[in-house]
Amino acid sequence: MRQIYKNWPFLIRTAVGCVLIGLITFVCYRLQLNFSVTGFIYLIVIVLQSLAGSFASSAVVSVVAVLCLDFFFTAPLFSFEVTNPLDILALISFLTTGLVITRLTTRVRKEAAISDGQRRQVDRLYQLAQKLLALNPETTTYSTSTKLFHDVFGLQTVCQFDAATGKIHCAGDQPNGLAEQTRAAYSSGEDREDRDSGILIRCLHAGGNPIGAISFEGLRDPELTAGPLSALAAAMLERTRTFRHASQAAAAAHAELFRGAVLDALAHEFKTPLATILT
């Protein structure tokens, strides 16, 4: 039943094309049109069919058109027997032309669909990069950035491992198994990809040093998006780590100033009674 629903558009387009060929055959036969005119009209229908349908449906319609052309417009009429070699050559040329046009049109449509899909993925990457850069490093957590990866690309699960803290942050459904795989990939230092389960794991590096790992489940077009997503994740990890180190350095500087002030105050409190006693 699922296979029937899957092939339903193909069946509808094929049926519409065959019905249209039948109507054209009826009209052309009643008007007593010759072989050439009818074949040209058939060719127009096949081109339109290729624009609206797939190569398979257009091929079926092309075969039906050749059979109708042979049966109704090629001597002897009402027979699939062809006595004139030129008519055989014309039928073969017609079928070949229809199939070639259909094949080229289908290829162009497929390439256009691939280009459109790649454009959408690039738009998602740009959108994700904007949202990640807009995050405030003072209040942003790894869970927030991980959730952005999950939401923008509509993934099933995303896990991000930070080697500095040893913590892993996940977003999505059933992250437990993927979290362990992410840790294992970082420990081994090897990227992993399982096409059957749709899991992709990439190790993250900064300055040639490993800083973590990130894993995706349900990522589309991994050849196009896996590299940029890994680069964004590595940049966010390094940005957070740099800000954390800067905050620690600033806190240490403030602590040193505070310690100096306390020591000066204590020294002043000790010096004043001592000076009085000596006097």
Side-chain angles (χ1 to χ4, degrees), residues 99-201:
L99 293 179
V100 168
I101 293 176
T102 301
R103 182 62 178 174
L104 293 176
T105 306
T106 304
R107 181 180 299 177
V108 170
R109 290 170 53 215
K110 185 180 296 184
E111 291 178 354
I114 293 175
S115 299
D116 185 63
Q118 292 177 348
R119 180 187 59 80
R120 288 196 298 268
Q121 294 291 66
V122 171
D123 290 341
R124 290 192 183 101
L125 285 171
Y126 180 72
Q127 181 183 358
L128 177 61
Q130 280 187 320
K131 291 184 177 181
L132 289 175
L133 293 175
L135 294 176
N136 186 358
E138 296 183 359
T139 59
T140 301
T141 62
Y142 288 119
S143 299
T144 304
S145 60
T146 303
K147 193 173 186 304
L148 283 178
F149 281 93
H150 174 267
D151 294 342
V152 173
F153 277 83
L155 303 174
Q156 297 180 13
T157 311
V158 181
C159 291
Q160 190 173 10
F161 175 71
D162 181 15
T165 61
K167 296 181 179 179
I168 190 163
H169 307 272
C170 297
D173 302 330
Q174 299 179 355
N176 295 331
L178 188 59
E180 295 302 324
Q181 294 183 47
T182 307
R183 291 178 185 270
Y186 170 78
S187 300
S188 63
E190 297 179 355
D191 299 336
R192 299 182 181 180
E193 183 175 359
D194 188 354
R195 295 184 179 272
D196 295 333
S197 59
I199 293 177
L200 182 71
I201 305 176

Side-chain angles (χ1 to χ4, degrees), residues 190-251:
E190 297 179 355
D191 299 336
R192 299 182 181 180
E193 183 175 359
D194 188 354
R195 295 184 179 272
D196 295 333
S197 59
I199 293 177
L200 182 71
I201 305 176
R202 289 288 185 267
C203 295
L204 305 179
H205 299 82
N209 300 319
I211 60 174
I214 189 168
S215 57
F216 309 98
E217 183 177 1
L219 181 64
R220 300 177 181 176
D221 296 332
E223 295 83 3
L224 176 66
T225 57
L229 286 177
S230 301
L232 285 175
M236 289 304 299
L237 277 179
E238 187 64 18
R239 179 192 183 194
T240 304
R241 178 180 298 182
T242 302
F243 181 80
R244 183 167 58 242
H245 290 169
S247 299
Q248 293 174 355

Side-chain angles (χ1 to χ4, degrees), residues 258-278:
F258 180 73
R259 185 176 66 86
V262 171
L263 290 177
D264 290 342
L266 289 175
H268 179 269
E269 293 297 329
F270 278 110
K271 286 179 180 179
T272 302
L274 184 61
T276 304
I277 292 173
L278 291 176

